[in-house]
Amino acid sequence: MRRDIPPLAEVRRITEKKRDAWWTVLLVDPVATPLVRLTAKYTRITPNQITWGAFLLGLVSAACFAFGDWRWLVAGAFVYHLSFVLDCMDGKVARLTGQGSVFGAWLDFVFDRIRVAVCGVALMAGQYDRTGETIYIWLAAAVVGLDTLRYINGLEIFKIRHTMRKQIKARVREARRAENAAELAFMEDLLRDNPEADIEQDLRKAATPSATAPAAVSDPGAGEEAGTQAQARSQSQDQDPAEIQAQTKSQAQVVDLHQEFRHRFPVYLRARSFFLRHRIRTHLVSGIEFQMGVFILGPLFDSVIEATIVSGALLLVFELAIIYKLLLSTRDFTRTIDSFEREEVTTAA
């Protein structure tokens, strides 16, 4: 038995993500986190072993789906949920015990994709054998295709955002070398790391300028609250907040690459604030919710066709919203780069 495992409240703080899918927050974490503490304290099970366990349970779920009968569908849905609970536990155990690895992250990702593909084909094959309806063949292709699209799109968007941030940081580093400019921070990072902050106030200030204003800001209002949060991670808990604010105002330049999106959709700010206070990300239907709709809700209610179509449609809606948000973000990026160039011209003049 390990004696260095902290109490459950501290385990939650260490292992649970600050933003996660609503299915995970509401239906998985309340079960997975206590199990993670018991696993880390009383066993020698590694995160990779848990990943293998989740994968094998996923194959058992697929076998249940393949029989096609409603009772087997219910059993398959139950086993799939257990598989997902284990799938959430491996990362938590890795964070709690420090046993995480790059290979473990790869293994988890690959097994997730295989599990979805195998379960999708098995579920639809079982229903095709049961009813003879060809729509299940198309649904099998749709499940595999949409899951692949979700993760390819997520990876590409991450790469584009990383490229934009890298270019902005390079320009700021050049400015710092020339003018000893302030340290750079990104608004989305400050808000992501501190969901308990007064997000609406931050974003209201960030959305005040017109959509044509430069996205690079050194706004005392926006930087004061969000910058204070960034500094708080490295400051003592009992340090005077006013002192932290004063330090941050003179150190941080906040760049908001989602300024136009927030300006166009102010209702998003209130919704985002509400969800983040409950650790729920605003992308309400992502790969996780799509899987749960297809492999749990559909089988439980013997409504595989309806659940798959609705889940797929909602996934596409939210993916298109993310793409649109990326489009507006690229405009903010262009204005930010242009503002740097204007500043350079002004300085040279």
Side-chain angles (χ1 to χ4, degrees):
M1 181 180 71
R2 294 185 55 168
R3 300 183 181 277
D4 59 337
I5 302 301
L8 181 58
E10 181 67 9
V11 172
R12 292 188 188 279
R13 187 191 68 80
I14 295 173
T15 63
E16 293 181 354
K17 297 178 181 178
K18 294 183 178 180
R19 292 194 310 174
D20 213 334
W22 63 265
W23 186 281
T24 303
V25 172
L26 300 178
L27 300 176
V28 177
D29 280 350
V31 176
T33 305
L35 289 177
V36 164
R37 183 176 183 273
L38 295 175
T39 300
K41 187 171 183 178
Y42 295 106
T43 74
R44 296 177 179 269
I45 297 176
T46 66
N48 285 353
Q49 290 172 338
I50 297 176
T51 301
W52 273 100
F55 177 67
L56 294 177
L57 275 181
L59 297 183
V60 172
S61 176
C64 294
F65 289 147
F67 285 106
D69 182 78
W70 181 71
R71 289 170 295 180
W72 284 107
L73 290 182
V74 172
F78 178 74
V79 175
Y80 193 91
H81 186 68
L82 290 181
S83 171
F84 186 72
V85 170
L86 282 183
D87 189 39
C88 291
M89 286 178 59
D90 56 6
K92 296 180 189 297
V93 171
R95 287 189 289 273
L96 182 61
T97 61
Q99 294 179 302
S101 66
V102 176
F103 178 76
W106 174 86
L107 190 70
D108 183 52
F109 177 82
V110 171
F111 278 179
D112 283 350
R113 306 285 67 75
I114 296 175
R115 179 181 59 184
V116 171
V118 172
C119 286
V121 171
L123 175 63
M124 302 309 168
Q127 295 306 295
Y128 175 75
D129 183 64
R130 173 186 173 187
T131 65
E133 298 182 19
T134 56
I135 187 175
Y136 290 106
I137 299 176
W138 294 103
L139 289 179
V143 168
V144 177
L146 286 173
D147 181 73
T148 303
L149 171 66
R150 162 74 186 98
Y151 284 94
I152 290 178
N153 186 45
L155 177 61
E156 289 303 313
I157 288 178
F158 172 81
K159 289 168 60 177
I160 292 173
R161 287 177 175 170
H162 176 74
T163 300
M164 292 191 298
R165 291 156 63 99
K166 185 176 179 181
Q167 292 186 32
I168 292 174
K169 288 180 178 180
R171 299 299 292 268
V172 171
R173 280 195 295 268
E174 294 176 3
R176 291 184 64 185
R177 285 195 294 267
E179 305 175 10
N180 193 26
E183 182 182 352
L184 176 70
F186 284 92
M187 176 73 78
E188 58 187 293
D189 287 344
L190 302 177
L191 297 179
R192 179 185 296 112
D193 292 340
N194 297 273
E196 71 279 1
D198 187 358
I199 300 169
E200 294 183 27
Q201 179 179 351
D202 287 335
L203 301 186
R204 194 181 309 114
K205 293 176 181 177
T208 299
S210 64
T212 58
V217 297
S218 182
D219 180 1
E224 181 176 10
E225 184 80 18
T228 299
Q229 301 159 18
Q231 288 292 314
R233 295 195 300 272
S234 61
Q235 299 288 343
S236 170
Q237 293 295 327
D238 57 355
Q239 188 173 359
D240 184 4
E243 179 182 350
I244 300 175
Q245 291 178 358
Q247 294 174 356
T248 305
K249 289 171 64 176
S250 63
Q251 294 176 357
Q253 177 184 5
V254 177
V255 174
D256 186 4
L257 291 180
H258 298 298
Q259 179 172 311
E260 183 173 345
F261 181 83
R262 294 181 178 118
H263 180 77
R264 291 193 178 195
F265 303 99
V267 67
Y268 167 80
L269 311 183
R270 294 188 290 272
R272 185 180 190 274
S273 176
F274 171 80
F275 285 126
L276 289 190
R277 288 191 180 102
H278 297 81
R279 295 199 306 115
I280 297 174
R281 63 192 179 196
T282 50
H283 190 188
L284 297 179
V285 182
S286 62
I288 293 174
E289 290 81 11
F290 173 68
Q291 293 178 44
M292 301 308 124
V294 174
F295 299 126
I296 294 182
L297 297 182
L300 281 179
F301 295 99
D302 199 14
S303 302
V304 173
I305 295 178
E306 295 84 351
T308 303
I309 292 176
V310 171
S311 300
L314 290 175
L315 177 67
L316 284 176
V317 167
F318 275 89
E319 289 302 305
L320 290 174
I322 288 179
I323 295 172
Y324 178 67
K325 186 178 180 182
L326 176 66
L327 172 63
L328 298 184
S329 181
T330 59
R331 295 177 182 176
D332 287 325
F333 168 74
T334 301
R335 285 192 288 269
T336 301
I337 296 297
D338 290 343
S339 70
F340 289 145
E341 294 177 353
R342 288 195 299 270
E343 291 175 1
E344 293 173 357
V345 171
T346 301
T347 301

